[in-house]
CSV table of all heavy atoms in Angstrom, one decimal:
chain,number,residue,atom,x,y,z
A,297,VAL,N,1.2,15.7,27.0
A,297,VAL,CA,-0.1,16.4,26.7
A,297,VAL,C,0.1,17.7,26.0
A,297,VAL,O,-0.9,18.3,25.5
A,297,VAL,CB,-0.9,16.6,28.0
A,297,VAL,CG1,-1.4,15.3,28.6
A,297,VAL,CG2,0.0,17.3,29.1
A,298,HIS,N,1.3,18.2,25.9
A,298,HIS,CA,1.5,19.5,25.3
A,298,HIS,C,2.9,19.6,24.6
A,298,HIS,O,3.9,19.1,25.2
A,298,HIS,CB,1.4,20.6,26.4
A,298,HIS,CG,1.7,22.0,25.9
A,298,HIS,ND1,0.6,22.8,25.6
A,298,HIS,CD2,2.8,22.7,25.7
A,298,HIS,CE1,1.1,24.0,25.2
A,298,HIS,NE2,2.4,23.9,25.3
A,299,VAL,N,2.9,20.1,23.4
A,299,VAL,CA,4.2,20.2,22.7
A,299,VAL,C,4.3,21.7,22.2
A,299,VAL,O,3.5,22.1,21.4
A,299,VAL,CB,4.3,19.3,21.4
A,299,VAL,CG1,5.6,19.5,20.7
A,299,VAL,CG2,4.0,17.8,21.8
A,300,GLY,N,5.2,22.4,22.8
A,300,GLY,CA,5.4,23.8,22.5
A,300,GLY,C,6.7,24.0,21.8
A,300,GLY,O,7.5,23.1,21.7
A,301,LEU,N,6.9,25.2,21.3
A,301,LEU,CA,8.1,25.6,20.6
A,301,LEU,C,8.8,26.8,21.3
A,301,LEU,O,8.1,27.8,21.4
A,301,LEU,CB,7.8,25.9,19.1
A,301,LEU,CG,8.9,26.2,18.2
A,301,LEU,CD1,9.8,25.1,18.0
A,301,LEU,CD2,8.3,26.6,16.8
A,302,HIS,N,10.0,26.7,21.7
A,302,HIS,CA,10.7,27.8,22.3
A,302,HIS,C,11.2,28.7,21.1
A,302,HIS,O,12.1,28.3,20.4
A,302,HIS,CB,12.0,27.3,23.0
A,302,HIS,CG,11.7,26.6,24.3
A,302,HIS,ND1,11.2,27.3,25.4
A,302,HIS,CD2,11.9,25.4,24.7
A,302,HIS,CE1,11.1,26.5,26.4
A,302,HIS,NE2,11.5,25.3,26.0
A,303,GLN,N,10.5,29.8,21.0
A,303,GLN,CA,10.8,30.7,19.9
A,303,GLN,C,12.3,31.1,19.9
A,303,GLN,O,13.0,31.3,18.8
A,303,GLN,CB,10.0,32.0,19.9
A,303,GLN,CG,8.5,31.7,19.8
A,303,GLN,CD,8.1,31.2,18.4
A,303,GLN,OE1,8.8,31.5,17.4
A,303,GLN,NE2,7.1,30.4,18.3
A,304,ASP,N,12.9,31.3,21.1
A,304,ASP,CA,14.3,31.7,21.2
A,304,ASP,C,15.3,30.6,20.9
A,304,ASP,O,16.5,30.9,20.8
A,304,ASP,CB,14.5,32.3,22.6
A,304,ASP,CG,14.2,31.3,23.7
A,304,ASP,OD1,13.5,30.4,23.4
A,304,ASP,OD2,14.8,31.5,24.8
A,305,ARG,N,14.8,29.4,20.6
A,305,ARG,CA,15.7,28.4,20.2
A,305,ARG,C,15.6,28.0,18.7
A,305,ARG,O,16.1,27.0,18.3
A,305,ARG,CB,15.4,27.1,21.0
A,305,ARG,CG,15.8,27.3,22.5
A,305,ARG,CD,15.9,26.0,23.2
A,305,ARG,NE,15.7,26.3,24.7
A,305,ARG,CZ,15.4,25.4,25.6
A,305,ARG,NH1,15.2,24.1,25.2
A,305,ARG,NH2,15.3,25.6,26.8
A,306,ILE,N,14.9,28.9,18.0
A,306,ILE,CA,14.8,28.7,16.6
A,306,ILE,C,16.1,29.2,16.0
A,306,ILE,O,16.4,30.4,16.0
A,306,ILE,CB,13.6,29.4,15.9
A,306,ILE,CG1,12.3,28.8,16.5
A,306,ILE,CG2,13.6,29.4,14.4
A,306,ILE,CD1,11.0,29.4,16.0
A,307,THR,N,17.0,28.3,15.6
A,307,THR,CA,18.3,28.8,15.2
A,307,THR,C,18.3,29.4,13.8
A,307,THR,O,19.0,30.5,13.7
A,307,THR,CB,19.3,27.6,15.2
A,307,THR,OG1,18.6,26.5,14.5
A,307,THR,CG2,19.6,27.1,16.6
A,308,ASP,N,17.6,28.9,12.9
A,308,ASP,CA,17.6,29.5,11.5
A,308,ASP,C,16.3,29.4,10.9
A,308,ASP,O,15.9,28.3,10.3
A,308,ASP,CB,18.7,28.8,10.7
A,308,ASP,CG,18.9,29.6,9.4
A,308,ASP,OD1,18.0,30.4,9.0
A,308,ASP,OD2,19.9,29.3,8.7
A,309,PRO,N,15.4,30.4,11.0
A,309,PRO,CA,14.1,30.3,10.5
A,309,PRO,C,13.9,30.1,9.0
A,309,PRO,O,12.9,29.7,8.5
A,309,PRO,CB,13.4,31.7,10.9
A,309,PRO,CG,14.5,32.6,11.3
A,309,PRO,CD,15.8,31.8,11.5
A,310,GLU,N,15.0,30.3,8.3
A,310,GLU,CA,15.0,30.2,6.8
A,310,GLU,C,15.2,28.7,6.4
A,310,GLU,O,15.1,28.4,5.2
A,310,GLU,CB,16.0,31.0,6.1
A,310,GLU,CG,16.0,32.5,6.5
A,310,GLU,CD,14.7,33.1,6.0
A,310,GLU,OE1,14.2,32.8,4.9
A,310,GLU,OE2,14.1,34.0,6.7
A,311,ARG,N,15.8,27.9,7.3
A,311,ARG,CA,16.2,26.6,6.9
A,311,ARG,C,15.5,25.5,7.7
A,311,ARG,O,14.9,25.7,8.7
A,311,ARG,CB,17.7,26.5,7.2
A,311,ARG,CG,18.5,27.4,6.3
A,311,ARG,CD,20.0,27.2,6.5
A,311,ARG,NE,20.4,25.8,6.3
A,311,ARG,CZ,21.6,25.3,6.6
A,311,ARG,NH1,22.5,26.1,7.1
A,311,ARG,NH2,21.8,24.0,6.4
A,312,HIS,N,15.5,24.3,7.0
A,312,HIS,CA,14.9,23.1,7.7
A,312,HIS,C,15.5,22.9,9.0
A,312,HIS,O,16.7,23.1,9.2
A,312,HIS,CB,15.2,21.9,6.8
A,312,HIS,CG,14.5,20.7,7.3
A,312,HIS,ND1,13.2,20.4,7.0
A,312,HIS,CD2,15.0,19.7,8.0
A,312,HIS,CE1,12.9,19.3,7.6
A,312,HIS,NE2,13.9,18.8,8.2
A,313,PRO,N,14.8,22.6,10.1
A,313,PRO,CA,13.3,22.3,10.1
A,313,PRO,C,12.5,23.5,10.4
A,313,PRO,O,11.3,23.4,10.5
A,313,PRO,CB,13.3,21.2,11.2
A,313,PRO,CG,14.3,21.7,12.2
A,313,PRO,CD,15.4,22.2,11.3
A,314,PHE,N,13.1,24.6,10.7
A,314,PHE,CA,12.3,25.8,11.2
A,314,PHE,C,11.6,26.5,10.1
A,314,PHE,O,10.9,27.5,10.3
A,314,PHE,CB,13.3,26.7,11.9
A,314,PHE,CG,13.9,26.1,13.1
A,314,PHE,CD1,15.2,25.8,13.2
A,314,PHE,CD2,13.1,25.7,14.2
A,314,PHE,CE1,15.8,25.2,14.3
A,314,PHE,CE2,13.7,25.1,15.3
A,314,PHE,CZ,15.0,24.8,15.3
A,315,ASN,N,11.8,26.1,8.8
A,315,ASN,CA,11.0,26.7,7.7
A,315,ASN,C,9.8,25.9,7.3
A,315,ASN,O,9.2,26.1,6.3
A,315,ASN,CB,12.0,26.9,6.5
A,315,ASN,CG,12.5,25.6,5.9
A,315,ASN,OD1,12.3,24.6,6.5
A,315,ASN,ND2,13.2,25.7,4.8
A,316,VAL,N,9.5,24.8,8.1
A,316,VAL,CA,8.4,24.0,7.7
A,316,VAL,C,7.1,24.7,8.3
A,316,VAL,O,7.0,24.8,9.5
A,316,VAL,CB,8.5,22.6,8.3
A,316,VAL,CG1,7.3,21.7,8.0
A,316,VAL,CG2,9.8,21.9,7.8
Side-chain angles (χ1 to χ4, degrees):
V297 289
H298 179 95
V299 182
L301 184 61
H302 285 294
Q303 297 293 330
D304 58 339
R305 293 195 199 160
I306 295 179
T307 45
D308 188 347
E310 305 295 324
R311 294 185 53 191
H312 185 80
F314 299 110
N315 65 352
V316 178

